[in-house]
Amino acid sequence: MQILKALVVIMGVLIIAGFTFLGVELYKRMNDPNRAAQQAAESERATPGREPADVTLDVPAGSRIGEIVVVNNRVLFKVTLPQGLDRLYVMDPRNGAVTATVTAGKPIP
């Protein structure tokens, strides 16, 4: 009889732990901004007839686009300017908007 009581208690604890895990996981997934952005991007891709964004960067002639890195829901790429400076651009790929630019280095004399 004591074994049966112990099994019932252990199973009750496991059920409570399982529901707690499910609740915490659902809460984390509902409040994850990257997941929401990913779902929005997927729904935009599924929309028929959507044209890709045409983005023009404000860089002088002779600039070269270098390394491109995707970080979460942003695209980071390096542009080498003709003066020898490097400029980093952070772009939102969903709408093509450049959200930040950083210029690094000194001009080459």
Side-chain angles (χ1 to χ4, degrees):
M1 193 66 172
Q2 290 179 346
I3 294 176
L4 185 60
K5 286 181 185 179
L7 283 173
V8 169
V9 169
I10 290 171
M11 285 188 222
V13 169
L14 287 175
I15 289 172
I16 291 171
F19 276 113
T20 303
F21 173 77
L22 286 174
V24 169
E25 192 64 29
L26 282 172
Y27 177 78
K28 284 183 355 187
R29 288 185 183 199
M30 287 187 328
N31 293 322
D32 185 8
N34 292 332
R35 184 173 178 87
Q38 187 178 34
Q39 287 176 343
E42 288 174 4
S43 68
E44 286 179 8
R45 273 186 254 138
T47 307
R50 186 165 191 277
E51 296 292 324
D54 185 18
V55 179
T56 303
L57 294 177
D58 185 26
V59 294
S63 299
R64 294 179 299 140
I65 293 179
E67 301 149 23
I68 299 174
V69 179
V70 177
V71 180
N72 291 333
N73 56 352
R74 299 285 187 254
V75 177
L76 174 74
F77 55 96
K78 180 177 91 169
V79 174
T80 303
L81 302 173
Q83 300 88 4
L85 295 174
D86 287 336
R87 187 176 289 168
L88 301 175
Y89 287 89
V90 179
M91 185 176 73
D92 185 353
R94 292 174 289 177
N95 56 13
V98 175
T99 58
T101 60
V102 178
T103 303
K106 296 180 192 176
I108 298 174

